[in-house]
Amino acid sequence: MTTTIDRKEAAGATIIVASGACLAGYAWLHYPMGSPNEMGPGFFPVALGIIQIGIGLMLAVPALARSGAFPAVEWRPLVAVMLSGAFFALSIDRLGLVPAVVGLVLIIRCADGEYAAPWIILLAAVMALVAVLIFRLGLNMPFAIVGGLG
Amino acid sequence: MDTLLGNILLGLQTALIPVNIGYCFVGVFLGMLVGVLPGIGALATISLLFPITFHLHPASALMMLAGIYYGAQYGGSTTSILLNLPGDPASSVTCLDGYPMAKQGRSGVALLMTTLSSFAAASVGILIMILFSPLIVDASLKFGDAEYFSLMLLGLVAASTISTGSGLKGIAMVVAGISLGTIGVDVYTGTPRFTLGMMALWEGLSIVAVAMGLFGVTEVITSIRTAEVNRVDPKTVTFRSMIPTRDDWRRFPKAALRGSAVGSFFGALPGTGAMIAAFMAYAIEKRVSKEPERFGHGAIEGVISPEAANNAASQTAFIPTMTLGIPGSATMALILGALIVHGINPGPRLMTEHPDVFWGLVMSFWVGNVLLLALNLDRKSVV
């Protein structure tokens, strides 16, 4: 899809400007600035934020002046991979290692629906086994195989 | 000279412990595999394996992670030659002459030559590291704050602007990275910054989480739809096709040497590294050749020299990382991260305070390269 402005570049520039503005704004409101000779905790973040805004604007100007194609965003893998990571992080201490790994594999499957169910079950089983062998038995890391940290 | 010999012996003692040889083997083997697979690179692999190394001795951890890095340079050329598909960006220039060679039924020669030139070049890179690192450390121990600041700045700017793409975007990402670094307790005033009331953020973002998120997870997300299993080239690599002609041998030493020299130089500079080294080596080889018209149609030098360059570069890339504590690339930053996680401060003092780690790593390069040589020759005669 080609548009009159380079939306991919413009989107990137917007993200840089926005993150710079958040950084500088938050630091400005919450931390003392001090002076260049005796910098407070807010000085450096505010400076970084302003630099980011500046660079973002410099990237935005040429992007507005030319046309460009916006890449198709693959939402499914993006959401599935991040969800699976979040599920693992939340469940490892509450449900234990094996349920966390199995859940992770099942959610990941949604990223790309081409794999048949038997393979996914096999994959989940192997992953869970390997995880238990390496992290619990091999490296003796502190989490339960099944069940919360009681 | 005595201390150098002593250091080499100390390094050998560390590197030749069976456990360490084992980790080195795991590293180079994995590196070679991910080098062959086009979808996944050394950077993603290192960031994914990073957490596992916590429980290892720092020397073993480094040997394994480093092995992945230089092992990938060996593997990358395989698919460049057989499939015209670089397994690793640094091997993309190898396609130019490697694939034509494969089409002429000379893929075996090309693979053998790349393996030999990779090994020769890595050896040159390691020797340079052994000889020059102590000199650099001596000089840098006299450095004060101003010199360090300048070096850091040079490293950051060079790494972000020289490599590829827009320099402005590179600098934007440097600033974004430094911004992430401001999370946590401000060392000068003790004020917790951007912690949102969470104690877990007081010490800043964990380098593991950052590495995993930026290099590991993103790689997985982007490759889910694009990574495809490629069919193997029907022209199999037979044993007969591996035997190089006398002409090939005649061209080998000079091309390998030029490639090694170019690679060693660009590898040690921040921001350049294996890919640029390989392209430069190819360009130089074409320039000095008496028959430049052969390039692009299966010229053996066009395979030998870039492969030598990217392997030499992947060894000398460790020089600024290990002697100054300044990473030239994202992968090297992860190697530094592995040191920091083990409570070792990277910088010029590393060599004197942890000589076993430094010299052990350098000597493990030999071990790893010998293993890679054996693995590659074996694999190619089996195929």
Side-chain angles (χ1 to χ4, degrees), chain A residues 37-114:
Chain A
N37 263 330
E38 277 173 68
M39 293 186 203
F43 195 93
F44 200 61
V46 169
L48 285 172
I50 292 171
I51 296 172
Q52 270 191 51
I53 296 173
I55 295 177
L57 291 178
M58 281 195 272
L59 288 170
V61 172
L64 294 177
R66 63 164 181 254
S67 62
F70 196 76
V73 179
E74 296 274 6
W75 290 109
R76 238 172 85 166
L78 184 68
V79 173
V81 170
M82 297 218 273
L83 264 184
S84 66
F87 174 81
F88 185 86
L90 292 174
S91 61
I92 181 86
D93 283 344
R94 296 177 174 82
L95 303 176
L97 181 58
V98 169
V101 170
V102 171
L104 176 128
V105 174
L106 293 181
I107 301 174
I108 279 281
R109 193 221 172 194
C110 306
D112 186 353
E114 286 175 19

Side-chain angles (χ1 to χ4, degrees), chain A residues 13-40:
Chain A
T14 311
I15 293 171
I16 293 172
V17 171
S19 77
C22 289
L23 184 80
Y26 191 91
W28 179 266
L29 292 176
H30 290 80
Y31 310 121
M33 283 291 287
S35 66
N37 263 330
E38 277 173 68
M39 293 186 203

Side-chain angles (χ1 to χ4, degrees), chain B residues 71-104:
Chain B
Q73 302 299 339
Y74 272 80
S77 57
T78 311
T79 45
S80 297
I81 292 168
L82 293 179
L83 304 169
N84 201 15
L85 200 74
D88 181 280
S91 295
S92 43
V93 70
T94 310
C95 294
L96 295 179
D97 276 287
Y99 189 61
M101 281 187 76
K103 282 204 287 196
Q104 293 158 14

Side-chain angles (χ1 to χ4, degrees), chain B residues 216-230:
Chain B
V217 175
T218 48
E219 186 78 18
V220 170
I221 294 174
T222 48
S223 64
I224 270 184
R225 287 297 174 93
T226 48
E228 291 166 12
V229 182
N230 288 284

